Amino acid sequence: MPPGRPPPTPGPAQPPTPPTPPIPLVYDDRHPQEDLADRLLERRTVLVSGLLDLPASTAAAARLMLLDGTGDEPIELMLTCPDGDLVAAMALADTVELVGVELRTVCAGLVGGPAVLPFAMGTRRLVQPHASLRLSEPELEVSGRGSEVVEAAARHADLVADLHRRLARATGQREDTIATDARRRLLLTAPEAVAYGLADELQRRLRAV
């Protein structure tokens, strides 16, 4: 303090600042996709998109069984799966065949590879006008000892043969025709899929709510 300057006079004491109440935080663990799936479930619609792997197949099968046991109205299974795991597709196709009510399968966008099978197993198979279906040979990726590779390859060959048999039964095509078309990765437009026997009709409009 400079010399000769009087000390500052203290002002009146200020009241203590009241504590600020904590801001409540709200956490929403629901994912938008799950919320949409629940809303579609209320309409008896199950949507499967992306790679048809085991988790997707299991979730779809669970929803189909739930809807089958809670009403007699038709169920709609909408597929947008450009490819899939062979075992997962077989499992979902089994569930589709076991559903007791009418099950309408809908091809939206592209359905290809093993994912074609659960679509083909529907009671009524609808394909959207600009959608397409691709037949292709399922791939096998396996590693391990020689005996394990041989066993896995034999199991894969049996599943592929079963896939061809079931598609032949669903389409009216010969098994060797299905196998040949799968090896050459046959791509079918919506009208071509109907003519091939893979779909029953084009979907002209969405189902009313």
Side-chain angles (χ1 to χ4, degrees), residues 25-62:
L25 300 178
V26 179
Y27 296 95
D28 188 355
D29 293 330
R30 296 181 305 170
H31 298 291
Q33 295 86 349
E34 295 176 356
D35 182 59
L36 176 60
D38 291 340
R39 294 172 62 184
L40 289 173
L41 201 63
E42 296 174 359
R43 298 180 53 189
R44 298 181 68 78
T45 298
V46 177
L47 174 63
V48 185
S49 61
L51 179 70
L52 182 60
D53 55 11
L54 285 172
S57 172
T58 302

PDB file of all heavy atoms in Angstrom, residues 25-62:
ATOM      1  N   LEU A  25     -29.780 -35.320 -14.584  1.00  0.00           N
ATOM      2  CA  LEU A  25     -29.405 -35.891 -15.873  1.00  0.00           C
ATOM      3  C   LEU A  25     -30.321 -37.070 -16.173  1.00  0.00           C
ATOM      4  O   LEU A  25     -30.549 -37.918 -15.310  1.00  0.00           O
ATOM      5  CB  LEU A  25     -27.942 -36.357 -15.859  1.00  0.00           C
ATOM      6  CG  LEU A  25     -26.901 -35.266 -15.581  1.00  0.00           C
ATOM      7  CD1 LEU A  25     -25.500 -35.888 -15.542  1.00  0.00           C
ATOM      8  CD2 LEU A  25     -26.967 -34.176 -16.634  1.00  0.00           C
ATOM      9  N   VAL A  26     -30.816 -37.104 -17.384  1.00  0.00           N
ATOM     10  CA  VAL A  26     -31.706 -38.184 -17.796  1.00  0.00           C
ATOM     11  C   VAL A  26     -30.974 -39.037 -18.819  1.00  0.00           C
ATOM     12  O   VAL A  26     -30.499 -38.510 -19.828  1.00  0.00           O
ATOM     13  CB  VAL A  26     -33.018 -37.633 -18.403  1.00  0.00           C
ATOM     14  CG1 VAL A  26     -33.906 -38.773 -18.851  1.00  0.00           C
ATOM     15  CG2 VAL A  26     -33.729 -36.753 -17.394  1.00  0.00           C
ATOM     16  N   TYR A  27     -30.861 -40.304 -18.529  1.00  0.00           N
ATOM     17  CA  TYR A  27     -30.188 -41.222 -19.426  1.00  0.00           C
ATOM     18  C   TYR A  27     -31.240 -42.079 -20.134  1.00  0.00           C
ATOM     19  O   TYR A  27     -32.118 -42.641 -19.496  1.00  0.00           O
ATOM     20  CB  TYR A  27     -29.224 -42.133 -18.659  1.00  0.00           C
ATOM     21  CG  TYR A  27     -28.092 -41.380 -18.017  1.00  0.00           C
ATOM     22  CD1 TYR A  27     -28.174 -40.972 -16.685  1.00  0.00           C
ATOM     23  CD2 TYR A  27     -26.946 -41.067 -18.737  1.00  0.00           C
ATOM     24  CE1 TYR A  27     -27.134 -40.265 -16.092  1.00  0.00           C
ATOM     25  CE2 TYR A  27     -25.906 -40.367 -18.142  1.00  0.00           C
ATOM     26  CZ  TYR A  27     -25.998 -39.973 -16.827  1.00  0.00           C
ATOM     27  OH  TYR A  27     -24.981 -39.283 -16.252  1.00  0.00           O
ATOM     28  N   ASP A  28     -31.132 -42.171 -21.459  1.00  0.00           N
ATOM     29  CA  ASP A  28     -32.037 -43.005 -22.253  1.00  0.00           C
ATOM     30  C   ASP A  28     -31.192 -44.059 -22.946  1.00  0.00           C
ATOM     31  O   ASP A  28     -30.441 -43.764 -23.865  1.00  0.00           O
ATOM     32  CB  ASP A  28     -32.776 -42.150 -23.289  1.00  0.00           C
ATOM     33  CG  ASP A  28     -33.870 -42.926 -24.008  1.00  0.00           C
ATOM     34  OD1 ASP A  28     -33.971 -44.150 -23.763  1.00  0.00           O
ATOM     35  OD2 ASP A  28     -34.606 -42.314 -24.801  1.00  0.00           O
ATOM     36  N   ASP A  29     -31.303 -45.290 -22.459  1.00  0.00           N
ATOM     37  CA  ASP A  29     -30.490 -46.367 -22.995  1.00  0.00           C
ATOM     38  C   ASP A  29     -31.072 -46.967 -24.270  1.00  0.00           C
ATOM     39  O   ASP A  29     -30.453 -47.828 -24.885  1.00  0.00           O
ATOM     40  CB  ASP A  29     -30.340 -47.477 -21.951  1.00  0.00           C
ATOM     41  CG  ASP A  29     -29.522 -47.000 -20.763  1.00  0.00           C
ATOM     42  OD1 ASP A  29     -28.649 -46.133 -20.962  1.00  0.00           O
ATOM     43  OD2 ASP A  29     -29.761 -47.489 -19.660  1.00  0.00           O
ATOM     44  N   ARG A  30     -32.251 -46.560 -24.639  1.00  0.00           N
ATOM     45  CA  ARG A  30     -32.867 -47.143 -25.830  1.00  0.00           C
ATOM     46  C   ARG A  30     -32.207 -46.613 -27.088  1.00  0.00           C
ATOM     47  O   ARG A  30     -31.966 -45.424 -27.226  1.00  0.00           O
ATOM     48  CB  ARG A  30     -34.359 -46.830 -25.884  1.00  0.00           C
ATOM     49  CG  ARG A  30     -35.173 -47.433 -24.755  1.00  0.00           C
ATOM     50  CD  ARG A  30     -36.632 -47.076 -24.923  1.00  0.00           C
ATOM     51  NE  ARG A  30     -36.817 -45.638 -25.015  1.00  0.00           N
ATOM     52  CZ  ARG A  30     -37.961 -45.055 -25.349  1.00  0.00           C
ATOM     53  NH1 ARG A  30     -39.014 -45.784 -25.643  1.00  0.00           N
ATOM     54  NH2 ARG A  30     -38.068 -43.734 -25.401  1.00  0.00           N
ATOM     55  N   HIS A  31     -31.920 -47.517 -27.997  1.00  0.00           N
ATOM     56  CA  HIS A  31     -31.374 -47.126 -29.280  1.00  0.00           C
ATOM     57  C   HIS A  31     -32.532 -46.841 -30.232  1.00  0.00           C
ATOM     58  O   HIS A  31     -33.573 -47.482 -30.166  1.00  0.00           O
ATOM     59  CB  HIS A  31     -30.496 -48.240 -29.854  1.00  0.00           C
ATOM     60  CG  HIS A  31     -29.307 -48.543 -28.998  1.00  0.00           C
ATOM     61  ND1 HIS A  31     -28.259 -47.680 -28.849  1.00  0.00           N
ATOM     62  CD2 HIS A  31     -29.019 -49.614 -28.233  1.00  0.00           C
ATOM     63  CE1 HIS A  31     -27.359 -48.204 -28.041  1.00  0.00           C
ATOM     64  NE2 HIS A  31     -27.809 -49.380 -27.649  1.00  0.00           N
ATOM     65  N   PRO A  32     -32.370 -45.885 -31.153  1.00  0.00           N
ATOM     66  CA  PRO A  32     -33.456 -45.596 -32.096  1.00  0.00           C
ATOM     67  C   PRO A  32     -33.906 -46.830 -32.865  1.00  0.00           C
ATOM     68  O   PRO A  32     -35.080 -47.005 -33.129  1.00  0.00           O
ATOM     69  CB  PRO A  32     -32.844 -44.540 -33.020  1.00  0.00           C
ATOM     70  CG  PRO A  32     -31.736 -43.915 -32.225  1.00  0.00           C
ATOM     71  CD  PRO A  32     -31.217 -45.002 -31.330  1.00  0.00           C
ATOM     72  N   GLN A  33     -32.951 -47.717 -33.236  1.00  0.00           N
ATOM     73  CA  GLN A  33     -33.321 -48.905 -33.996  1.00  0.00           C
ATOM     74  C   GLN A  33     -34.228 -49.807 -33.169  1.00  0.00           C
ATOM     75  O   GLN A  33     -35.181 -50.390 -33.682  1.00  0.00           O
ATOM     76  CB  GLN A  33     -32.070 -49.671 -34.434  1.00  0.00           C
ATOM     77  CG  GLN A  33     -31.186 -48.915 -35.415  1.00  0.00           C
ATOM     78  CD  GLN A  33     -30.199 -48.004 -34.717  1.00  0.00           C
ATOM     79  OE1 GLN A  33     -30.304 -47.776 -33.517  1.00  0.00           O
ATOM     80  NE2 GLN A  33     -29.244 -47.487 -35.460  1.00  0.00           N
ATOM     81  N   GLU A  34     -33.921 -49.933 -31.854  1.00  0.00           N
ATOM     82  CA  GLU A  34     -34.736 -50.778 -30.991  1.00  0.00           C
ATOM     83  C   GLU A  34     -36.119 -50.183 -30.817  1.00  0.00           C
ATOM     84  O   GLU A  34     -37.128 -50.894 -30.793  1.00  0.00           O
ATOM     85  CB  GLU A  34     -34.043 -50.969 -29.645  1.00  0.00           C
ATOM     86  CG  GLU A  34     -32.725 -51.750 -29.745  1.00  0.00           C
ATOM     87  CD  GLU A  34     -32.014 -51.832 -28.416  1.00  0.00           C
ATOM     88  OE1 GLU A  34     -32.511 -51.214 -27.445  1.00  0.00           O
ATOM     89  OE2 GLU A  34     -30.977 -52.503 -28.347  1.00  0.00           O
ATOM     90  N   ASP A  35     -36.199 -48.874 -30.704  1.00  0.00           N
ATOM     91  CA  ASP A  35     -37.485 -48.214 -30.554  1.00  0.00           C
ATOM     92  C   ASP A  35     -38.328 -48.422 -31.808  1.00  0.00           C
ATOM     93  O   ASP A  35     -39.527 -48.701 -31.732  1.00  0.00           O
ATOM     94  CB  ASP A  35     -37.278 -46.724 -30.295  1.00  0.00           C
ATOM     95  CG  ASP A  35     -38.593 -45.991 -30.075  1.00  0.00           C
ATOM     96  OD1 ASP A  35     -39.323 -46.360 -29.142  1.00  0.00           O
ATOM     97  OD2 ASP A  35     -38.889 -45.060 -30.841  1.00  0.00           O
ATOM     98  N   LEU A  36     -37.703 -48.314 -32.973  1.00  0.00           N
ATOM     99  CA  LEU A  36     -38.417 -48.538 -34.222  1.00  0.00           C
ATOM    100  C   LEU A  36     -38.867 -49.985 -34.324  1.00  0.00           C
ATOM    101  O   LEU A  36     -39.998 -50.265 -34.754  1.00  0.00           O
ATOM    102  CB  LEU A  36     -37.512 -48.191 -35.409  1.00  0.00           C
ATOM    103  CG  LEU A  36     -38.077 -48.465 -36.803  1.00  0.00           C
ATOM    104  CD1 LEU A  36     -39.351 -47.671 -37.031  1.00  0.00           C
ATOM    105  CD2 LEU A  36     -37.047 -48.149 -37.872  1.00  0.00           C
ATOM    106  N   ALA A  37     -38.021 -50.915 -33.926  1.00  0.00           N
ATOM    107  CA  ALA A  37     -38.387 -52.330 -33.974  1.00  0.00           C
ATOM    108  C   ALA A  37     -39.587 -52.618 -33.080  1.00  0.00           C
ATOM    109  O   ALA A  37     -40.474 -53.395 -33.453  1.00  0.00           O
ATOM    110  CB  ALA A  37     -37.195 -53.193 -33.559  1.00  0.00           C
ATOM    111  N   ASP A  38     -39.637 -51.992 -31.908  1.00  0.00           N
ATOM    112  CA  ASP A  38     -40.768 -52.187 -31.010  1.00  0.00           C
ATOM    113  C   ASP A  38     -42.052 -51.633 -31.610  1.00  0.00           C
ATOM    114  O   ASP A  38     -43.128 -52.228 -31.484  1.00  0.00           O
ATOM    115  CB  ASP A  38     -40.491 -51.521 -29.659  1.00  0.00           C
ATOM    116  CG  ASP A  38     -39.396 -52.229 -28.879  1.00  0.00           C
ATOM    117  OD1 ASP A  38     -39.132 -53.413 -29.182  1.00  0.00           O
ATOM    118  OD2 ASP A  38     -38.794 -51.602 -27.991  1.00  0.00           O
ATOM    119  N   ARG A  39     -41.951 -50.490 -32.263  1.00  0.00           N
ATOM    120  CA  ARG A  39     -43.141 -49.898 -32.881  1.00  0.00           C
ATOM    121  C   ARG A  39     -43.629 -50.747 -34.044  1.00  0.00           C
ATOM    122  O   ARG A  39     -44.842 -50.908 -34.248  1.00  0.00           O
ATOM    123  CB  ARG A  39     -42.838 -48.477 -33.332  1.00  0.00           C
ATOM    124  CG  ARG A  39     -42.560 -47.508 -32.173  1.00  0.00           C
ATOM    125  CD  ARG A  39     -42.081 -46.163 -32.667  1.00  0.00           C
ATOM    126  NE  ARG A  39     -43.087 -45.496 -33.493  1.00  0.00           N
ATOM    127  CZ  ARG A  39     -42.872 -44.337 -34.112  1.00  0.00           C
ATOM    128  NH1 ARG A  39     -41.686 -43.736 -33.993  1.00  0.00           N
ATOM    129  NH2 ARG A  39     -43.813 -43.782 -34.834  1.00  0.00           N
ATOM    130  N   LEU A  40     -42.705 -51.298 -34.823  1.00  0.00           N
ATOM    131  CA  LEU A  40     -43.100 -52.184 -35.901  1.00  0.00           C
ATOM    132  C   LEU A  40     -43.708 -53.472 -35.367  1.00  0.00           C
ATOM    133  O   LEU A  40     -44.629 -54.036 -35.973  1.00  0.00           O
ATOM    134  CB  LEU A  40     -41.898 -52.501 -36.790  1.00  0.00           C
ATOM    135  CG  LEU A  40     -41.386 -51.366 -37.677  1.00  0.00           C
ATOM    136  CD1 LEU A  40     -40.095 -51.774 -38.368  1.00  0.00           C
ATOM    137  CD2 LEU A  40     -42.433 -50.981 -38.720  1.00  0.00           C
ATOM    138  N   LEU A  41     -43.191 -53.917 -34.230  1.00  0.00           N
ATOM    139  CA  LEU A  41     -43.709 -55.146 -33.632  1.00  0.00           C
ATOM    140  C   LEU A  41     -45.192 -54.997 -33.277  1.00  0.00           C
ATOM    141  O   LEU A  41     -45.959 -55.961 -33.376  1.00  0.00           O
ATOM    142  CB  LEU A  41     -42.891 -55.499 -32.386  1.00  0.00           C
ATOM    143  CG  LEU A  41     -42.943 -56.952 -31.908  1.00  0.00           C
ATOM    144  CD1 LEU A  41     -42.365 -57.887 -32.961  1.00  0.00           C
ATOM    145  CD2 LEU A  41     -42.179 -57.101 -30.596  1.00  0.00           C
ATOM    146  N   GLU A  42     -45.575 -53.804 -32.868  1.00  0.00           N
ATOM    147  CA  GLU A  42     -46.982 -53.557 -32.567  1.00  0.00           C
ATOM    148  C   GLU A  42     -47.851 -53.713 -33.811  1.00  0.00           C
ATOM    149  O   GLU A  42     -49.046 -54.006 -33.707  1.00  0.00           O
ATOM    150  CB  GLU A  42     -47.149 -52.153 -31.985  1.00  0.00           C
ATOM    151  CG  GLU A  42     -46.455 -51.957 -30.640  1.00  0.00           C
ATOM    152  CD  GLU A  42     -46.518 -50.523 -30.155  1.00  0.00           C
ATOM    153  OE1 GLU A  42     -47.099 -49.679 -30.880  1.00  0.00           O
ATOM    154  OE2 GLU A  42     -46.000 -50.249 -29.057  1.00  0.00           O
ATOM    155  N   ARG A  43     -47.268 -53.524 -34.974  1.00  0.00           N
ATOM    156  CA  ARG A  43     -47.984 -53.697 -36.243  1.00  0.00           C
ATOM    157  C   ARG A  43     -47.794 -55.108 -36.796  1.00  0.00           C
ATOM    158  O   ARG A  43     -48.133 -55.368 -37.948  1.00  0.00           O
ATOM    159  CB  ARG A  43     -47.491 -52.682 -37.273  1.00  0.00           C
ATOM    160  CG  ARG A  43     -47.719 -51.217 -36.912  1.00  0.00           C
ATOM    161  CD  ARG A  43     -47.189 -50.306 -37.993  1.00  0.00           C
ATOM    162  NE  ARG A  43     -47.729 -50.656 -39.309  1.00  0.00           N
ATOM    163  CZ  ARG A  43     -47.298 -50.125 -40.454  1.00  0.00           C
ATOM    164  NH1 ARG A  43     -46.317 -49.240 -40.450  1.00  0.00           N
ATOM    165  NH2 ARG A  43     -47.837 -50.482 -41.597  1.00  0.00           N
ATOM    166  N   ARG A  44     -47.209 -55.992 -35.992  1.00  0.00           N
ATOM    167  CA  ARG A  44     -46.942 -57.386 -36.389  1.00  0.00           C
ATOM    168  C   ARG A  44     -46.002 -57.422 -37.600  1.00  0.00           C
ATOM    169  O   ARG A  44     -46.185 -58.225 -38.521  1.00  0.00           O
ATOM    170  CB  ARG A  44     -48.246 -58.147 -36.655  1.00  0.00           C
ATOM    171  CG  ARG A  44     -49.134 -58.241 -35.431  1.00  0.00           C
ATOM    172  CD  ARG A  44     -50.411 -59.010 -35.688  1.00  0.00           C
ATOM    173  NE  ARG A  44     -50.188 -60.431 -35.929  1.00  0.00           N
ATOM    174  CZ  ARG A  44     -49.936 -61.341 -35.000  1.00  0.00           C
ATOM    175  NH1 ARG A  44     -49.845 -60.971 -33.716  1.00  0.00           N
ATOM    176  NH2 ARG A  44     -49.778 -62.606 -35.308  1.00  0.00           N
ATOM    177  N   THR A  45     -45.007 -56.545 -37.565  1.00  0.00           N
ATOM    178  CA  THR A  45     -44.002 -56.470 -38.620  1.00  0.00           C
ATOM    179  C   THR A  45     -42.620 -56.646 -38.008  1.00  0.00           C
ATOM    180  O   THR A  45     -42.300 -56.014 -37.006  1.00  0.00           O
ATOM    181  CB  THR A  45     -44.074 -55.129 -39.367  1.00  0.00           C
ATOM    182  OG1 THR A  45     -45.351 -55.004 -39.992  1.00  0.00           O
ATOM    183  CG2 THR A  45     -42.990 -55.036 -40.431  1.00  0.00           C
ATOM    184  N   VAL A  46     -41.815 -57.502 -38.616  1.00  0.00           N
ATOM    185  CA  VAL A  46     -40.437 -57.736 -38.179  1.00  0.00           C
ATOM    186  C   VAL A  46     -39.513 -57.310 -39.311  1.00  0.00           C
ATOM    187  O   VAL A  46     -39.669 -57.760 -40.451  1.00  0.00           O
ATOM    188  CB  VAL A  46     -40.202 -59.216 -37.826  1.00  0.00           C
ATOM    189  CG1 VAL A  46     -38.740 -59.457 -37.448  1.00  0.00           C
ATOM    190  CG2 VAL A  46     -41.131 -59.646 -36.691  1.00  0.00           C
ATOM    191  N   LEU A  47     -38.569 -56.429 -39.008  1.00  0.00           N
ATOM    192  CA  LEU A  47     -37.636 -55.910 -40.007  1.00  0.00           C
ATOM    193  C   LEU A  47     -36.244 -56.472 -39.750  1.00  0.00           C
ATOM    194  O   LEU A  47     -35.743 -56.404 -38.629  1.00  0.00           O
ATOM    195  CB  LEU A  47     -37.598 -54.381 -39.951  1.00  0.00           C
ATOM    196  CG  LEU A  47     -36.565 -53.679 -40.838  1.00  0.00           C
ATOM    197  CD1 LEU A  47     -36.858 -53.950 -42.310  1.00  0.00           C
ATOM    198  CD2 LEU A  47     -36.536 -52.190 -40.551  1.00  0.00           C
ATOM    199  N   VAL A  48     -35.633 -57.028 -40.788  1.00  0.00           N
ATOM    200  CA  VAL A  48     -34.259 -57.527 -40.706  1.00  0.00           C
ATOM    201  C   VAL A  48     -33.472 -56.856 -41.823  1.00  0.00           C
ATOM    202  O   VAL A  48     -33.807 -56.994 -43.000  1.00  0.00           O
ATOM    203  CB  VAL A  48     -34.185 -59.056 -40.866  1.00  0.00           C
ATOM    204  CG1 VAL A  48     -32.755 -59.536 -40.650  1.00  0.00           C
ATOM    205  CG2 VAL A  48     -35.129 -59.750 -39.893  1.00  0.00           C
ATOM    206  N   SER A  49     -32.421 -56.116 -41.457  1.00  0.00           N
ATOM    207  CA  SER A  49     -31.623 -55.411 -42.452  1.00  0.00           C
ATOM    208  C   SER A  49     -30.146 -55.656 -42.205  1.00  0.00           C
ATOM    209  O   SER A  49     -29.724 -55.956 -41.089  1.00  0.00           O
ATOM    210  CB  SER A  49     -31.919 -53.900 -42.419  1.00  0.00           C
ATOM    211  OG  SER A  49     -31.597 -53.363 -41.155  1.00  0.00           O
ATOM    212  N   GLY A  50     -29.362 -55.526 -43.278  1.00  0.00           N
ATOM    213  CA  GLY A  50     -27.932 -55.771 -43.162  1.00  0.00           C
ATOM    214  C   GLY A  50     -27.608 -57.249 -43.286  1.00  0.00           C
ATOM    215  O   GLY A  50     -28.431 -58.060 -43.742  1.00  0.00           O
ATOM    216  N   LEU A  51     -26.417 -57.619 -42.881  1.00  0.00           N
ATOM    217  CA  LEU A  51     -25.990 -59.011 -42.946  1.00  0.00           C
ATOM    218  C   LEU A  51     -26.859 -59.873 -42.033  1.00  0.00           C
ATOM    219  O   LEU A  51     -27.049 -59.562 -40.862  1.00  0.00           O
ATOM    220  CB  LEU A  51     -24.524 -59.130 -42.525  1.00  0.00           C
ATOM    221  CG  LEU A  51     -23.939 -60.543 -42.519  1.00  0.00           C
ATOM    222  CD1 LEU A  51     -23.784 -61.065 -43.932  1.00  0.00           C
ATOM    223  CD2 LEU A  51     -22.595 -60.556 -41.795  1.00  0.00           C
ATOM    224  N   LEU A  52     -27.389 -60.957 -42.580  1.00  0.00           N
ATOM    225  CA  LEU A  52     -28.192 -61.882 -41.776  1.00  0.00           C
ATOM    226  C   LEU A  52     -27.251 -62.828 -41.049  1.00  0.00           C
ATOM    227  O   LEU A  52     -26.946 -63.925 -41.512  1.00  0.00           O
ATOM    228  CB  LEU A  52     -29.171 -62.655 -42.669  1.00  0.00           C
ATOM    229  CG  LEU A  52     -30.108 -63.634 -41.938  1.00  0.00           C
ATOM    230  CD1 LEU A  52     -30.969 -62.904 -40.922  1.00  0.00           C
ATOM    231  CD2 LEU A  52     -30.973 -64.389 -42.931  1.00  0.00           C
ATOM    232  N   ASP A  53     -26.770 -62.391 -39.888  1.00  0.00           N
ATOM    233  CA  ASP A  53     -25.889 -63.225 -39.088  1.00  0.00           C
ATOM    234  C   ASP A  53     -26.696 -63.891 -37.972  1.00  0.00           C
ATOM    235  O   ASP A  53     -27.917 -63.739 -37.890  1.00  0.00           O
ATOM    236  CB  ASP A  53     -24.728 -62.400 -38.528  1.00  0.00           C
ATOM    237  CG  ASP A  53     -25.205 -61.181 -37.742  1.00  0.00           C
ATOM    238  OD1 ASP A  53     -26.414 -61.083 -37.442  1.00  0.00           O
ATOM    239  OD2 ASP A  53     -24.366 -60.316 -37.428  1.00  0.00           O
ATOM    240  N   LEU A  54     -26.010 -64.609 -37.097  1.00  0.00           N
ATOM    241  CA  LEU A  54     -26.716 -65.349 -36.045  1.00  0.00           C
ATOM    242  C   LEU A  54     -27.473 -64.444 -35.072  1.00  0.00           C
ATOM    243  O   LEU A  54     -28.620 -64.737 -34.725  1.00  0.00           O
ATOM    244  CB  LEU A  54     -25.733 -66.251 -35.297  1.00  0.00           C
ATOM    245  CG  LEU A  54     -25.306 -67.518 -36.055  1.00  0.00           C
ATOM    246  CD1 LEU A  54     -24.193 -68.237 -35.313  1.00  0.00           C
ATOM    247  CD2 LEU A  54     -26.498 -68.457 -36.254  1.00  0.00           C
ATOM    248  N   PRO A  55     -26.890 -63.324 -34.605  1.00  0.00           N
ATOM    249  CA  PRO A  55     -27.671 -62.451 -33.718  1.00  0.00           C
ATOM    250  C   PRO A  55     -28.930 -61.902 -34.393  1.00  0.00           C
ATOM    251  O   PRO A  55     -30.005 -61.867 -33.774  1.00  0.00           O
ATOM    252  CB  PRO A  55     -26.683 -61.330 -33.367  1.00  0.00           C
ATOM    253  CG  PRO A  55     -25.342 -61.946 -33.513  1.00  0.00           C
ATOM    254  CD  PRO A  55     -25.469 -62.893 -34.671  1.00  0.00           C
ATOM    255  N   ALA A  56     -28.825 -61.482 -35.658  1.00  0.00           N
ATOM    256  CA  ALA A  56     -29.991 -60.955 -36.363  1.00  0.00           C
ATOM    257  C   ALA A  56     -31.039 -62.042 -36.574  1.00  0.00           C
ATOM    258  O   ALA A  56     -32.249 -61.812 -36.427  1.00  0.00           O
ATOM    259  CB  ALA A  56     -29.574 -60.360 -37.701  1.00  0.00           C
ATOM    260  N   SER A  57     -30.580 -63.251 -36.924  1.00  0.00           N
ATOM    261  CA  SER A  57     -31.496 -64.369 -37.131  1.00  0.00           C
ATOM    262  C   SER A  57     -32.209 -64.747 -35.841  1.00  0.00           C
ATOM    263  O   SER A  57     -33.428 -64.980 -35.833  1.00  0.00           O
ATOM    264  CB  SER A  57     -30.720 -65.575 -37.676  1.00  0.00           C
ATOM    265  OG  SER A  57     -31.543 -66.723 -37.714  1.00  0.00           O
ATOM    266  N   THR A  58     -31.472 -64.791 -34.736  1.00  0.00           N
ATOM    267  CA  THR A  58     -32.067 -65.156 -33.455  1.00  0.00           C
ATOM    268  C   THR A  58     -33.092 -64.124 -33.003  1.00  0.00           C
ATOM    269  O   THR A  58     -34.177 -64.477 -32.525  1.00  0.00           O
ATOM    270  CB  THR A  58     -30.966 -65.294 -32.387  1.00  0.00           C
ATOM    271  OG1 THR A  58     -30.023 -66.289 -32.817  1.00  0.00           O
ATOM    272  CG2 THR A  58     -31.549 -65.697 -31.050  1.00  0.00           C
ATOM    273  N   ALA A  59     -32.758 -62.839 -33.166  1.00  0.00           N
ATOM    274  CA  ALA A  59     -33.692 -61.779 -32.766  1.00  0.00           C
ATOM    275  C   ALA A  59     -34.967 -61.828 -33.607  1.00  0.00           C
ATOM    276  O   ALA A  59     -36.075 -61.691 -33.093  1.00  0.00           O
ATOM    277  CB  ALA A  59     -33.019 -60.415 -32.904  1.00  0.00           C
ATOM    278  N   ALA A  60     -34.824 -62.036 -34.918  1.00  0.00           N
ATOM    279  CA  ALA A  60     -35.992 -62.100 -35.792  1.00  0.00           C
ATOM    280  C   ALA A  60     -36.852 -63.319 -35.461  1.00  0.00           C
ATOM    281  O   ALA A  60     -38.088 -63.233 -35.420  1.00  0.00           O
ATOM    282  CB  ALA A  60     -35.550 -62.137 -37.250  1.00  0.00           C
ATOM    283  N   ALA A  61     -36.214 -64.456 -35.227  1.00  0.00           N
ATOM    284  CA  ALA A  61     -36.962 -65.668 -34.889  1.00  0.00           C
ATOM    285  C   ALA A  61     -37.734 -65.490 -33.581  1.00  0.00           C
ATOM    286  O   ALA A  61     -38.890 -65.927 -33.467  1.00  0.00           O
ATOM    287  CB  ALA A  61     -36.007 -66.856 -34.792  1.00  0.00           C
ATOM    288  N   ALA A  62     -37.111 -64.847 -32.602  1.00  0.00           N
ATOM    289  CA  ALA A  62     -37.790 -64.616 -31.325  1.00  0.00           C
ATOM    290  C   ALA A  62     -39.027 -63.734 -31.503  1.00  0.00           C
ATOM    291  O   ALA A  62     -40.087 -63.990 -30.924  1.00  0.00           O
ATOM    292  CB  ALA A  62     -36.821 -63.980 -30.328  1.00  0.00           C
TER     293      ALA A  62
END
